[in-house]
Protein backbone atom coordinates (compact mmCIF):
# COMPACT_ATOMS: atom_id res chain seq x y z
CA UNK A 1 0.00 0.00 0.00
CA UNK A 2 1.54 3.26 -1.12
CA UNK A 3 1.58 6.10 1.32
CA UNK A 4 1.41 9.62 -0.02
CA UNK A 5 4.25 11.84 1.05
CA UNK A 6 3.57 14.42 3.71
CA UNK A 7 4.44 17.98 2.76
CA UNK A 8 6.13 19.86 5.59
CA UNK A 9 6.48 23.62 5.31
CA UNK A 10 9.20 24.81 7.63
CA UNK A 11 8.90 28.38 8.92
CA UNK A 12 6.77 29.60 6.00
CA UNK A 13 6.45 33.37 5.95
CA UNK A 14 3.33 34.24 3.97
CA UNK A 15 -0.11 32.75 4.48
CA UNK A 16 -0.70 33.30 0.79
CA UNK A 17 2.09 30.89 -0.02
CA UNK A 18 0.80 28.28 2.39
CA UNK A 19 -2.52 28.48 0.55
CA UNK A 20 -0.82 28.10 -2.80
CA UNK A 21 1.00 25.04 -1.56
CA UNK A 22 -2.29 23.53 -0.39
CA UNK A 23 -3.74 24.14 -3.85
CA UNK A 24 -0.72 22.58 -5.54
CA UNK A 25 -0.94 19.57 -3.26
CA UNK A 26 -4.61 18.91 -3.82
CA UNK A 27 -4.22 19.38 -7.56
CA UNK A 28 -1.96 16.37 -7.49
CA UNK A 29 -3.90 14.33 -4.98
CA UNK A 30 -2.04 15.09 -1.76
CA UNK A 31 -3.77 16.32 1.38
CA UNK A 32 -1.39 15.81 4.28
CA UNK A 33 0.33 19.08 5.18
CA UNK A 34 2.33 19.94 8.25
CA UNK A 35 3.48 23.42 9.15
CA UNK A 36 6.39 24.15 11.43
CA UNK A 37 6.52 27.47 13.23
CA UNK A 38 4.71 29.64 10.68
CA UNK A 39 5.92 33.22 10.96
CA UNK A 40 2.47 34.78 11.21
CA UNK A 41 0.86 32.12 13.38
CA UNK A 42 -1.93 29.74 12.47
CA UNK A 43 -4.62 29.81 11.20
CA UNK A 44 -3.68 32.56 8.80
CA UNK A 45 -6.51 34.43 7.03
CA UNK A 46 -4.35 34.92 3.92
CA UNK A 47 -4.07 31.19 3.29
CA UNK A 48 -7.68 30.46 2.39
CA UNK A 49 -8.13 32.69 -0.66
CA UNK A 50 -4.96 31.48 -2.39
CA UNK A 51 -5.85 27.86 -1.69
CA UNK A 52 -8.56 28.35 -4.32
CA UNK A 53 -10.81 25.70 -2.85
CA UNK A 54 -8.23 23.44 -1.28
CA UNK A 55 -9.42 24.46 2.19
CA UNK A 56 -9.58 20.87 3.34
CA UNK A 57 -5.78 20.70 3.19
CA UNK A 58 -5.45 23.81 5.33
CA UNK A 59 -8.09 22.66 7.77
CA UNK A 60 -6.40 19.32 8.31
CA UNK A 61 -2.88 20.76 8.46
CA UNK A 62 -1.03 19.99 11.65
CA UNK A 63 1.09 22.73 13.17
CA UNK A 64 4.24 22.14 15.17
CA UNK A 65 6.63 24.37 17.08
CA UNK A 66 9.69 22.41 16.15
CA UNK A 67 10.69 20.45 13.08
CA UNK A 68 11.90 17.56 15.25
CA UNK A 69 8.32 17.06 16.47
CA UNK A 70 6.89 17.32 12.98
CA UNK A 71 9.11 14.53 11.67
CA UNK A 72 9.13 12.27 14.71
CA UNK A 73 6.91 9.63 13.09
CA UNK A 74 8.44 9.83 9.60
CA UNK A 75 10.55 7.06 8.11
CA UNK A 76 11.92 8.80 5.03
CA UNK A 77 12.74 12.48 5.16
CA UNK A 78 13.66 14.42 2.05
CA UNK A 79 14.87 18.02 2.22
CA UNK A 80 14.46 20.33 -0.74
CA UNK A 81 17.30 22.72 -1.45
CA UNK A 82 17.98 24.98 -4.38
CA UNK A 83 21.68 24.52 -4.50
CA UNK A 84 24.02 21.79 -3.53
CA UNK A 85 25.30 22.12 -0.04
CA UNK A 86 28.49 20.89 1.41
CA UNK A 87 26.79 17.84 2.83
CA UNK A 88 27.42 14.25 2.02
CA UNK A 89 23.88 13.23 1.23
CA UNK A 90 22.47 11.84 -1.94
CA UNK A 91 20.97 14.53 -4.13
CA UNK A 92 18.02 13.30 -6.18
CA UNK A 93 15.57 14.83 -8.62
CA UNK A 94 11.88 15.17 -7.75
CA UNK A 95 11.29 12.32 -10.21
CA UNK A 96 13.70 9.97 -8.48
CA UNK A 97 12.36 10.92 -5.07
CA UNK A 98 8.82 10.24 -6.24
CA UNK A 99 9.87 6.83 -7.51
CA UNK A 100 11.56 6.02 -4.22
CA UNK A 101 8.59 7.19 -2.19
CA UNK A 102 6.26 5.13 -4.32
CA UNK A 103 8.30 2.00 -3.80
CA UNK A 104 8.93 2.23 -0.13
CA UNK A 105 6.91 1.41 2.91
CA UNK A 106 6.59 3.73 5.86
CA UNK A 107 5.83 7.42 5.91
CA UNK A 108 7.71 9.80 3.69
CA UNK A 109 7.91 13.54 4.07
CA UNK A 110 9.33 16.32 1.95
CA UNK A 111 10.61 19.40 3.74
CA UNK A 112 10.35 22.85 2.19
CA UNK A 113 12.10 25.79 3.81
CA UNK A 114 11.10 29.40 4.28
CA UNK A 115 10.46 31.47 1.16
CA UNK A 116 13.47 33.69 1.50
CA UNK A 117 16.08 31.53 3.10
CA UNK A 118 15.12 27.93 2.50
CA UNK A 119 15.99 25.23 4.98
CA UNK A 120 18.74 25.77 7.48
CA UNK A 121 21.63 23.36 7.59
CA UNK A 122 20.46 21.85 10.85
CA UNK A 123 17.08 21.18 9.22
CA UNK A 124 18.66 19.56 6.18
CA UNK A 125 20.63 17.41 8.60
CA UNK A 126 17.44 15.60 9.59
CA UNK A 127 16.91 14.32 6.08
CA UNK A 128 18.36 11.22 4.51
CA UNK A 129 18.38 12.73 1.03
CA UNK A 130 18.18 16.05 -0.68
CA UNK A 131 15.80 16.89 -3.50
CA UNK A 132 16.94 19.53 -5.94
CA UNK A 133 14.70 20.58 -8.81
CA UNK A 134 16.88 20.76 -11.91
CA UNK A 135 16.61 24.33 -13.10
CA UNK A 136 18.36 26.73 -15.40
CA UNK A 137 21.75 27.31 -13.77
CA UNK A 138 21.75 30.87 -15.09
CA UNK A 139 18.35 31.69 -13.57
CA UNK A 140 17.28 29.72 -10.57
CA UNK A 141 14.20 31.42 -9.19
CA UNK A 142 11.82 28.76 -8.05
CA UNK A 143 9.40 29.88 -5.38
CA UNK A 144 7.94 27.79 -2.60
CA UNK A 145 4.66 26.85 -4.28
CA UNK A 146 6.45 26.05 -7.55
CA UNK A 147 8.79 23.67 -5.80
CA UNK A 148 5.80 21.99 -4.16
CA UNK A 149 4.05 21.75 -7.52
CA UNK A 150 6.97 20.00 -9.18
CA UNK A 151 7.45 17.52 -6.35
CA UNK A 152 3.77 16.68 -5.97
CA UNK A 153 3.27 16.50 -9.73
CA UNK A 154 6.06 13.95 -10.04
CA UNK A 155 4.53 11.89 -7.30
CA UNK A 156 1.08 11.96 -8.84
CA UNK A 157 2.41 10.88 -12.22
CA UNK A 158 3.58 7.61 -10.77
CA UNK A 159 0.32 6.82 -9.07
CA UNK A 160 -1.31 6.22 -12.41
CA UNK A 161 1.55 4.70 -14.28
CA UNK A 162 3.59 2.68 -11.90
CA UNK A 163 2.86 -0.60 -10.34
CA UNK A 164 4.93 -1.30 -7.28
CA UNK A 165 7.77 -3.71 -7.87
CA UNK A 166 10.57 -4.08 -5.39
CA UNK A 167 9.24 -3.14 -2.01
CA UNK A 168 11.62 -2.73 0.87
CA UNK A 169 11.39 -5.47 3.42
CA UNK A 170 11.83 -3.17 6.36
CA UNK A 171 11.56 0.61 6.20
CA UNK A 172 13.92 2.89 8.08
CA UNK A 173 13.06 3.47 11.71
CA UNK A 174 10.92 6.42 12.63
CA UNK A 175 12.85 9.61 13.04
CA UNK A 176 12.23 9.65 16.81
CA UNK A 177 13.96 6.28 17.15
CA UNK A 178 16.92 7.51 15.15
CA UNK A 179 17.05 10.67 17.25
CA UNK A 180 17.03 8.66 20.45
CA UNK A 181 19.93 6.54 19.26
CA UNK A 182 21.93 9.60 18.24
CA UNK A 183 21.18 11.33 21.52
CA UNK A 184 22.41 8.31 23.47
CA UNK A 185 25.68 8.27 21.57
CA UNK A 186 26.16 12.01 21.96
CA UNK A 187 25.66 11.77 25.69
CA UNK A 188 28.16 8.98 25.94
CA UNK A 189 30.67 10.88 23.85
CA UNK A 190 30.21 14.04 25.88
CA UNK A 191 31.22 12.12 28.98
CA UNK A 192 34.51 11.17 27.34
CA UNK A 193 35.48 14.71 26.41
CA UNK A 194 35.05 13.85 22.71
CA UNK A 195 33.46 17.22 21.93
CA UNK A 196 36.56 19.28 22.34
CA UNK A 197 37.29 22.08 21.75
CA UNK A 198 33.81 23.51 22.53
CA UNK A 199 33.72 25.67 19.40
CA UNK A 200 33.87 22.52 17.29
CA UNK A 201 31.06 20.77 19.13
CA UNK A 202 28.22 21.91 16.87
CA UNK A 203 29.91 20.91 13.67
CA UNK A 204 31.08 17.61 15.14
CA UNK A 205 27.54 16.82 16.21
CA UNK A 206 26.33 17.64 12.71
CA UNK A 207 28.92 15.38 11.17
CA UNK A 208 27.84 12.54 13.41
CA UNK A 209 24.17 13.11 12.75
CA UNK A 210 24.65 13.13 9.01
CA UNK A 211 26.76 10.02 9.13
CA UNK A 212 24.22 8.17 11.26
CA UNK A 213 21.23 9.41 9.25
CA UNK A 214 22.63 8.27 5.92
CA UNK A 215 22.18 4.50 6.41
CA UNK A 216 18.41 4.51 6.85
CA UNK A 217 18.67 1.82 9.49
CA UNK A 218 15.50 0.01 10.40
CA UNK A 219 14.21 -0.28 13.93
CA UNK A 220 15.98 -3.55 14.62
CA UNK A 221 19.27 -2.09 13.54
CA UNK A 222 18.69 1.01 15.63
CA UNK A 223 17.92 -1.23 18.60
CA UNK A 224 21.12 -3.15 18.04
CA UNK A 225 23.10 0.06 17.98
CA UNK A 226 21.51 1.25 21.21
CA UNK A 227 22.65 -2.03 22.71
CA UNK A 228 26.13 -1.34 21.42
CA UNK A 229 26.16 2.12 22.98
CA UNK A 230 24.90 0.69 26.25
CA UNK A 231 27.64 -1.92 26.25
CA UNK A 232 30.29 0.70 25.57
CA UNK A 233 28.82 2.91 28.26
CA UNK A 234 29.59 0.19 30.78
CA UNK A 235 33.27 0.78 30.15
CA UNK A 236 32.97 3.91 32.27
CA UNK B 1 19.55 20.50 -33.22
CA UNK B 2 16.72 20.73 -30.76
CA UNK B 3 14.56 23.79 -30.84
CA UNK B 4 13.00 25.00 -27.64
CA UNK B 5 9.23 25.27 -27.74
CA UNK B 6 7.72 28.72 -27.94
CA UNK B 7 5.23 29.55 -25.22
CA UNK B 8 2.21 31.40 -26.55
CA UNK B 9 -0.15 33.08 -24.11
CA UNK B 10 -3.50 33.65 -25.74
CA UNK B 11 -5.56 36.58 -24.43
CA UNK B 12 -3.94 36.60 -20.98
CA UNK B 13 -5.81 38.80 -18.52
CA UNK B 14 -3.40 39.78 -15.78
CA UNK B 15 0.06 41.22 -16.28
CA UNK B 16 1.05 39.53 -13.06
CA UNK B 17 0.37 36.14 -14.60
CA UNK B 18 2.35 36.98 -17.72
CA UNK B 19 5.28 37.78 -15.45
CA UNK B 20 4.88 34.52 -13.59
CA UNK B 21 4.89 32.62 -16.85
CA UNK B 22 8.11 34.38 -17.87
CA UNK B 23 9.68 33.35 -14.60
CA UNK B 24 8.56 29.76 -14.99
CA UNK B 25 9.93 29.66 -18.52
CA UNK B 26 13.34 31.02 -17.68
CA UNK B 27 13.60 28.70 -14.67
CA UNK B 28 13.45 25.86 -17.12
CA UNK B 29 15.60 27.36 -19.81
CA UNK B 30 12.98 28.79 -22.16
CA UNK B 31 12.99 32.40 -23.32
CA UNK B 32 10.74 32.61 -26.34
CA UNK B 33 7.33 33.97 -25.39
CA UNK B 34 4.59 35.25 -27.62
CA UNK B 35 1.51 37.05 -26.40
CA UNK B 36 -1.72 37.24 -28.33
CA UNK B 37 -4.09 40.10 -27.68
CA UNK B 38 -3.36 40.72 -23.99
CA UNK B 39 -6.41 42.16 -22.27
CA UNK B 40 -4.59 45.09 -20.66
CA UNK B 41 -2.28 45.91 -23.56
CA UNK B 42 1.47 45.63 -23.70
CA UNK B 43 3.83 46.36 -22.07
CA UNK B 44 2.07 45.80 -18.78
CA UNK B 45 3.66 47.28 -15.64
CA UNK B 46 2.35 44.39 -13.51
CA UNK B 47 4.36 41.83 -15.43
CA UNK B 48 7.87 42.89 -14.39
CA UNK B 49 7.64 42.42 -10.61
CA UNK B 50 6.19 38.93 -10.82
CA UNK B 51 8.79 37.90 -13.39
CA UNK B 52 11.27 38.04 -10.50
CA UNK B 53 14.23 38.77 -12.72
CA UNK B 54 13.09 37.08 -15.91
CA UNK B 55 12.69 40.47 -17.57
CA UNK B 56 14.59 39.35 -20.62
CA UNK B 57 11.70 37.05 -21.51
CA UNK B 58 9.20 39.89 -21.24
CA UNK B 59 11.42 42.28 -23.18
CA UNK B 60 11.85 39.85 -26.05
CA UNK B 61 8.21 38.75 -26.08
CA UNK B 62 6.49 39.31 -29.37
CA UNK B 63 2.93 40.55 -29.29
CA UNK B 64 0.30 39.69 -31.89
CA UNK B 65 -3.27 40.74 -32.48
CA UNK B 66 -4.40 37.38 -33.71
CA UNK B 67 -3.38 33.84 -32.86
CA UNK B 68 -3.14 32.95 -36.55
CA UNK B 69 -0.32 35.44 -36.96
CA UNK B 70 1.43 34.24 -33.83
CA UNK B 71 1.59 30.66 -35.05
CA UNK B 72 2.22 31.34 -38.71
CA UNK B 73 5.84 30.16 -38.61
CA UNK B 74 5.27 27.21 -36.24
CA UNK B 75 5.52 23.60 -37.34
CA UNK B 76 4.04 21.82 -34.35
CA UNK B 77 1.29 23.44 -32.33
CA UNK B 78 0.09 22.03 -29.05
CA UNK B 79 -2.93 23.44 -27.24
CA UNK B 80 -3.27 23.06 -23.48
CA UNK B 81 -6.71 22.35 -22.10
CA UNK B 82 -7.85 21.37 -18.66
CA UNK B 83 -10.46 18.94 -19.75
CA UNK B 84 -10.87 16.87 -22.79
CA UNK B 85 -12.99 18.50 -25.41
CA UNK B 86 -15.19 16.97 -27.96
CA UNK B 87 -12.45 17.23 -30.53
CA UNK B 88 -10.81 14.51 -32.48
CA UNK B 89 -7.22 15.27 -31.63
CA UNK B 90 -4.60 13.33 -29.81
CA UNK B 91 -4.46 14.21 -26.13
CA UNK B 92 -0.98 13.85 -24.66
CA UNK B 93 0.63 14.51 -21.31
CA UNK B 94 3.20 17.30 -20.86
CA UNK B 95 5.81 14.57 -20.64
CA UNK B 96 4.86 13.03 -23.96
CA UNK B 97 4.64 16.42 -25.60
CA UNK B 98 8.11 17.29 -24.31
CA UNK B 99 9.49 14.07 -25.74
CA UNK B 100 7.86 14.74 -29.10
CA UNK B 101 9.12 18.32 -29.18
CA UNK B 102 12.62 17.18 -28.31
CA UNK B 103 12.65 14.66 -31.10
CA UNK B 104 11.20 16.73 -33.84
CA UNK B 105 12.67 19.25 -36.17
CA UNK B 106 11.03 22.56 -36.84
CA UNK B 107 9.50 25.02 -34.43
CA UNK B 108 7.08 23.88 -31.76
CA UNK B 109 4.74 26.02 -29.74
CA UNK B 110 2.47 25.42 -26.79
CA UNK B 111 -0.67 27.50 -26.50
CA UNK B 112 -2.10 28.54 -23.15
CA UNK B 113 -5.51 30.17 -22.97
CA UNK B 114 -6.89 33.00 -20.86
CA UNK B 115 -6.86 32.52 -17.06
CA UNK B 116 -10.59 32.23 -16.66
CA UNK B 117 -11.80 30.60 -19.81
CA UNK B 118 -8.86 28.81 -21.36
CA UNK B 119 -8.56 28.41 -25.09
CA UNK B 120 -11.60 28.75 -27.29
CA UNK B 121 -12.51 25.88 -29.54
CA UNK B 122 -11.44 27.79 -32.63
CA UNK B 123 -8.04 28.30 -31.03
CA UNK B 124 -7.68 24.66 -30.11
CA UNK B 125 -8.52 23.89 -33.73
CA UNK B 126 -5.19 25.36 -34.79
CA UNK B 127 -3.28 22.77 -32.81
CA UNK B 128 -2.28 19.33 -33.96
CA UNK B 129 -2.45 17.91 -30.48
CA UNK B 130 -3.83 18.71 -27.07
CA UNK B 131 -1.80 18.71 -23.89
CA UNK B 132 -3.67 17.98 -20.68
CA UNK B 133 -1.88 18.02 -17.36
CA UNK B 134 -3.03 14.98 -15.39
CA UNK B 135 -4.53 16.34 -12.18
CA UNK B 136 -6.74 15.21 -9.36
CA UNK B 137 -10.14 14.67 -11.00
CA UNK B 138 -11.83 15.72 -7.77
CA UNK B 139 -9.96 19.01 -7.60
CA UNK B 140 -8.68 20.44 -10.83
CA UNK B 141 -7.51 23.94 -10.13
CA UNK B 142 -4.38 24.56 -12.14
CA UNK B 143 -3.70 28.17 -12.91
CA UNK B 144 -1.96 29.59 -15.96
CA UNK B 145 1.53 29.86 -14.51
CA UNK B 146 1.28 26.40 -12.98
CA UNK B 147 0.39 24.87 -16.32
CA UNK B 148 3.34 26.66 -17.90
CA UNK B 149 5.61 25.41 -15.12
CA UNK B 150 4.65 21.79 -15.64
CA UNK B 151 5.04 21.94 -19.41
CA UNK B 152 8.36 23.78 -19.37
CA UNK B 153 9.67 21.62 -16.56
CA UNK B 154 8.97 18.49 -18.56
CA UNK B 155 10.74 19.93 -21.54
CA UNK B 156 13.77 20.95 -19.52
CA UNK B 157 14.08 17.51 -17.95
CA UNK B 158 14.89 16.10 -21.34
CA UNK B 159 17.48 18.74 -22.08
CA UNK B 160 19.62 17.64 -19.15
CA UNK B 161 19.96 21.12 -17.79
CA UNK B 162 21.46 20.72 -14.42
CA UNK B 163 20.35 17.31 -13.37
CA UNK B 164 21.69 16.83 -9.91
CA UNK B 165 23.92 13.86 -10.29
CA UNK B 166 22.96 11.22 -7.84
CA UNK B 167 26.58 10.28 -8.20
CA UNK B 168 28.17 10.12 -4.83
CA UNK B 169 30.64 12.87 -4.19
CA UNK B 170 32.78 10.44 -2.31
CA UNK B 171 32.71 6.69 -2.91
CA UNK B 172 32.47 4.23 -0.06
CA UNK B 173 35.75 3.55 1.71
CA UNK B 174 37.84 0.61 0.66
CA UNK B 175 36.81 -2.62 2.29
CA UNK B 176 40.02 -2.75 4.34
CA UNK B 177 39.15 0.56 5.94
CA UNK B 178 35.66 -0.63 6.73
CA UNK B 179 37.05 -3.86 8.15
CA UNK B 180 39.47 -1.97 10.35
CA UNK B 181 36.68 0.14 11.76
CA UNK B 182 34.51 -2.90 12.43
CA UNK B 183 37.40 -4.76 14.02
CA UNK B 184 38.10 -1.85 16.34
CA UNK B 185 34.48 -1.79 17.48
CA UNK B 186 34.36 -5.54 17.94
CA UNK B 187 37.46 -5.47 20.09
CA UNK B 188 36.01 -2.74 22.22
CA UNK B 189 32.73 -4.58 22.57
CA UNK B 190 34.47 -7.82 23.45
CA UNK B 191 36.11 -6.06 26.39
CA UNK B 192 32.69 -5.10 27.74
CA UNK B 193 31.29 -8.62 27.65
CA UNK B 194 28.89 -7.62 24.86
CA UNK B 195 29.32 -10.90 23.00
CA UNK B 196 27.51 -13.07 25.48
CA UNK B 197 26.53 -15.85 25.48
CA UNK B 198 29.44 -17.21 23.41
CA UNK B 199 27.18 -19.27 21.12
CA UNK B 200 25.55 -16.07 19.93
CA UNK B 201 28.81 -14.28 19.21
CA UNK B 202 29.07 -15.26 15.56
CA UNK B 203 25.57 -14.18 14.65
CA UNK B 204 25.89 -10.96 16.64
CA UNK B 205 29.11 -10.12 14.82
CA UNK B 206 27.35 -10.77 11.53
CA UNK B 207 24.48 -8.52 12.49
CA UNK B 208 26.89 -5.74 13.35
CA UNK B 209 28.88 -6.18 10.19
CA UNK B 210 25.79 -6.06 8.03
CA UNK B 211 24.51 -3.01 9.78
CA UNK B 212 27.83 -1.19 9.45
CA UNK B 213 28.30 -2.26 5.83
CA UNK B 214 24.90 -1.04 4.71
CA UNK B 215 25.67 2.72 4.84
CA UNK B 216 28.51 2.69 2.35
CA UNK B 217 30.38 5.25 4.42
CA UNK B 218 33.25 7.04 2.75
CA UNK B 219 36.74 7.21 4.19
CA UNK B 220 36.11 10.43 6.07
CA UNK B 221 33.07 8.98 7.72
CA UNK B 222 34.95 5.82 8.61
CA UNK B 223 37.70 7.92 10.10
CA UNK B 224 35.17 9.84 12.16
CA UNK B 225 33.72 6.60 13.47
CA UNK B 226 37.16 5.32 14.41
CA UNK B 227 37.55 8.51 16.40
CA UNK B 228 34.24 7.80 18.08
CA UNK B 229 35.30 4.28 19.01
CA UNK B 230 38.59 5.60 20.36
CA UNK B 231 36.80 8.16 22.49
CA UNK B 232 34.44 5.53 23.86
CA UNK B 233 37.40 3.24 24.50
CA UNK B 234 38.78 5.83 26.90
CA UNK B 235 35.80 5.16 29.14
CA UNK B 236 37.54 1.94 30.16
Amino acid sequence: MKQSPIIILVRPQLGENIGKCARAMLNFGLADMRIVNPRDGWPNPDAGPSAAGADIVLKQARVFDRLEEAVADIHHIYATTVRKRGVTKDVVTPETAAAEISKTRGKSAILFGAERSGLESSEVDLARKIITVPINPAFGSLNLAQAVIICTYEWSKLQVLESPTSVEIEPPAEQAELDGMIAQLNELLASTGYFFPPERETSTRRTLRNLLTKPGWNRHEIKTLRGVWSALGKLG
Side-chain angles (χ1 to χ4, degrees), chain A:
Chain A
M1 166 67 193
K2 282 180 197 175
Q3 288 207 41
S4 308
I6 295 161
I7 301 299
I8 303 184
L9 306 182
V10 183
R11 296 175 289 104
Q13 299 172 288
L14 297 174
E16 186 192 340
N17 288 330
I18 300 173
K20 284 180 181 172
C21 291
R23 177 185 187 175
M25 287 171 60
L26 200 54
N27 266 329
F28 297 113
L30 296 181
D32 204 343
M33 175 190 272
R34 296 183 184 181
I35 309 171
V36 177
N37 194 16
R39 188 190 66 183
D40 299 337
W42 193 258
N44 183 325
D46 294 340
S50 64
D55 304 281
I56 183 79
V57 176
L58 298 175
K59 237 173 253 169
Q60 294 179 347
R62 292 174 60 193
V63 180
F64 297 84
D65 288 333
R66 297 173 55 246
L67 177 57
E68 284 75 7
E69 299 159 13
V71 298
D73 62 333
I74 306 295
H75 302 86
H76 307 275
I77 303 174
Y78 292 82
T80 55
T81 69
V82 176
R83 275 171 212 84
K84 284 162 198 160
R85 311 250 191 151
V87 285
T88 53
K89 290 185 201 287
D90 268 2
V91 179
V92 297
T93 61
E95 188 176 18
T96 301
E100 291 177 357
I101 291 170
S102 285
K103 274 184 203 145
T104 195
R105 290 196 295 181
K107 284 187 194 165
S108 300
I110 307 176
L111 314 183
F112 295 85
E115 289 91 329
R116 188 168 300 238
S117 52
L119 291 169
E120 289 175 2
S121 296
S122 63
E123 293 162 346
V124 174
D125 287 345
L126 295 178
R128 280 238 318 284
K129 296 195 181 184
I130 287 173
I131 298 177
T132 296
V133 179
I135 49 176
N136 182 357
F139 179 76
S141 165
L142 207 65
N143 68 21
L144 175 57
Q146 289 175 332
V148 171
I149 286 167
I150 301 286
C151 291
T152 55
Y153 163 71
E154 284 289 6
W155 185 81
S156 83
K157 272 170 69 181
L158 291 176
Q159 307 324 301
V160 194
L161 304 170
E162 212 195 34
S163 54
T165 45
S166 62
V167 172
E168 286 172 342
I169 300 154
E170 183 85 37
E174 291 184 5
Q175 189 70 13
E177 292 179 274
L178 175 65
D179 282 349
M181 183 273 279
I182 292 174
Q184 189 190 350
L185 177 61
N186 278 338
E187 204 178 322
L188 209 54
L189 284 172
S191 72
T192 69
Y194 177 75
F195 297 114
F196 187 86
E199 60 267 27
R200 300 271 317 146
E201 175 164 354
T202 305
S203 79
T204 303
R205 281 177 185 268
R206 280 193 59 201
T207 301
L208 275 182
R209 168 173 283 283
N210 278 313
L211 179 160
L212 296 169
T213 299
K214 177 176 171 180
W217 283 309
N218 63 44
R219 50 192 309 199
H220 306 297
E221 291 167 327
I222 294 285
K223 209 175 154 191
T224 299
L225 282 170
R226 293 200 68 142
V228 167
W229 305 159
S230 294
L232 294 174
K234 283 184 203 145
L235 284 171

